[in-house]
Amino acid sequence: MRRMWPEEFNAIIADAEEVMLESSAEPGAGEPLHRKALKARIATEDYERIWPLAEMRFRLGEGPFAGKAITLITTNPHYHPWHPKDGGSVESVSDSGRHYKTDYLVVHFLLDDVRETSPA
């Protein structure tokens, strides 16, 4: 089944940075880990909105990552170092003069190439 990334969340990954996840192999664990991923700093409220999509694979249909698939890393023990982490906070002032704070998280999405060739 092909699940497409919901368009309403495209802004969340629009400014994501492509990174390589690397870890050393633990004794008896096999090969070291080398996986492409997207690293994004997103508002906590956005994270709460995409939480139900965690650990599911979605294809991207638009933007710079079209033809790729992403999977939000949340609790997978193999990717523990890349689970969501504190991304700090920013204090701002609204147009009405009210002070507010936005909390952020740093999240990682596994990134896979899923382009398929079609028969001629």
Side-chain angles (χ1 to χ4, degrees):
M1 178 168 109
R2 295 181 188 179
R3 266 187 234 119
M4 297 301 289
W5 180 252
E7 289 182 20
E8 66 193 81
F9 299 133
N10 282 347
I12 291 173
I13 58 171
D15 296 325
E17 168 190 3
E18 192 169 337
V19 296
M20 182 66 73
L21 304 182
E22 297 181 11
S23 70
S24 58
E26 296 179 17
E31 295 292 316
L33 173 71
H34 297 284
R35 290 288 306 267
K36 285 185 182 180
L38 294 178
K39 177 181 177 182
R41 182 175 180 244
I42 64 174
T44 302
E45 66 185 32
D46 288 337
Y47 178 73
E48 290 168 358
R49 289 175 48 217
I50 65 171
W51 169 254
L53 309 179
E55 305 294 341
M56 290 191 285
R57 189 172 193 228
F58 290 91
R59 291 177 182 235
L60 300 174
E62 299 178 4
F65 304 109
K68 306 273 185 180
I70 59 172
T71 307
L72 175 63
I73 299 171
T74 55
T75 59
N76 187 319
H78 298 290
Y79 299 101
H80 188 274
W82 301 284
H83 287 183
K85 293 188 176 16
D86 181 21
S89 61
V90 174
E91 293 193 24
S92 304
V93 178
S94 68
D95 292 339
S96 65
R98 186 174 188 182
H99 291 267
Y100 66 96
K101 181 171 86 169
T102 305
D103 295 319
Y104 290 92
L105 289 171
V106 174
V107 298
H108 289 82
F109 295 86
L110 295 178
L111 182 65
D112 300 304
D113 189 6
V114 292
R115 292 184 193 266
E116 299 174 3
T117 58
S118 59

